[in-house]
Amino acid sequence: MFSIVVLISGGGSNLRALLEAAADADFPARIVAVGSDTDAPGLEHAEAFGVPTFTVVPTAFADRATWGDELLTHVQSWSPDLVVCAGFMRILPPRFVAALSPNLINTHPALLPAFPGAHAVRDALAAGVSETGVTVHIIDEGVDTGPVLLQRAVPVLSADTEHDLHERIKIVERSLLVEAVADIATAHITTEQQETVS
Ligand code: GRF
């Protein structure tokens, strides 16, 4: 069975969507472990589904590279077919990316290459666009620069606050991420030979 490790930093609603999908015996992938860089509330979703968790906190290490090596050791101990960053709010060090990419994906709350970075929803609102969305992409050595696997648009409404818009994006994001994982697990989309976003 195609196996996944999910990495999170926050509330974990995307993780929860994956756990619920994977609880169906017909879903083509299983979540074998969930990792975090912090004591994330979303780890409770993994525990509720009986999925093992691990936490590797950067401040416990001399530098980012050493932290990344320890995170990699934990991830690789599960021999996953795919690693999914679902609201994991750290930039992954080069050795981590080199060891796992292209079998390392991220979900991002904007239509990349528009609005990369940690404030994608705020930046889209500030830019006054009428449409933003979600991108599931392969993680490469850049920040939100890797090859796009799937995208879906979400309209921006005139009264939207950052919170409102992000909540609407996340509804779409959860289903797009589940779809992307299923498509990768069944080889309907491949993480090999994808072209990098310019
Ligand atoms: C998602 O929108 C993700 O793309 C962004 O942070 C949010 C995490 O949401 N980077 P959750 O923790 O999965 O609820």
Side-chain angles (χ1 to χ4, degrees):
M1 175 60 88
F2 190 90
S3 63
I4 301 167
V5 169
V6 183
L7 299 178
I8 65 164
S9 298
S13 70
N14 284 285
L15 165 66
R16 175 120 200 152
L18 286 170
L19 287 162
E20 287 174 355
D24 182 337
D26 290 336
F27 194 74
R30 290 289 166 265
I31 300 170
V32 291
V34 175
S36 183
D37 60 320
T38 183
D39 188 18
L43 291 172
E44 287 177 10
H45 298 307
E47 285 149 21
F49 280 76
V51 173
T53 65
F54 58 88
T55 303
V56 186
V57 180
T59 50
F61 297 87
D63 52 41
R64 241 168 46 84
T66 318
W67 164 73
D69 291 343
E70 181 67 13
L71 187 68
L72 181 61
T73 299
H74 277 268
V75 167
Q76 287 184 322
S77 72
W78 294 98
S79 302
D81 296 301
L82 182 70
V83 178
V84 178
C85 291
F88 187 69
M89 301 308 283
R90 300 262 172 195
I91 295 169
L92 292 162
R95 275 203 294 270
F96 187 99
V97 174
L100 296 172
S101 188
N103 299 310
L104 174 64
I105 66 169
N106 182 46
T107 175
H108 181 78
L111 295 174
L112 291 171
F115 312 119
H119 304 293
V121 180
R122 188 185 310 169
D123 293 346
L125 271 180
V129 292
S130 59
E131 185 179 82
T132 182
V134 183
T135 302
V136 178
H137 67 96
I138 295 171
I139 295 178
D140 67 4
E141 57 290 340
V143 177
D144 301 326
T145 53
V148 170
L149 298 173
L150 287 179
Q151 290 189 304
R152 196 153 294 158
V154 175
V156 179
L157 306 181
S158 55
D160 267 343
T161 62
E162 182 181 351
H163 178 263
D164 295 339
L165 180 56
H166 200 174
E167 288 304 307
R168 278 207 332 285
I169 288 172
K170 282 171 68 170
I171 293 168
V172 175
E173 185 172 33
R174 292 190 278 268
S175 66
L176 194 71
L177 184 61
V178 168
E179 186 179 324
V181 166
D183 281 354
I184 294 168
T186 54
H188 282 96
I189 55 178
T190 172
T191 53
E192 305 293 336
Q193 295 167 336
Q194 297 281 344
E195 284 179 25
T196 298
V197 174
S198 55

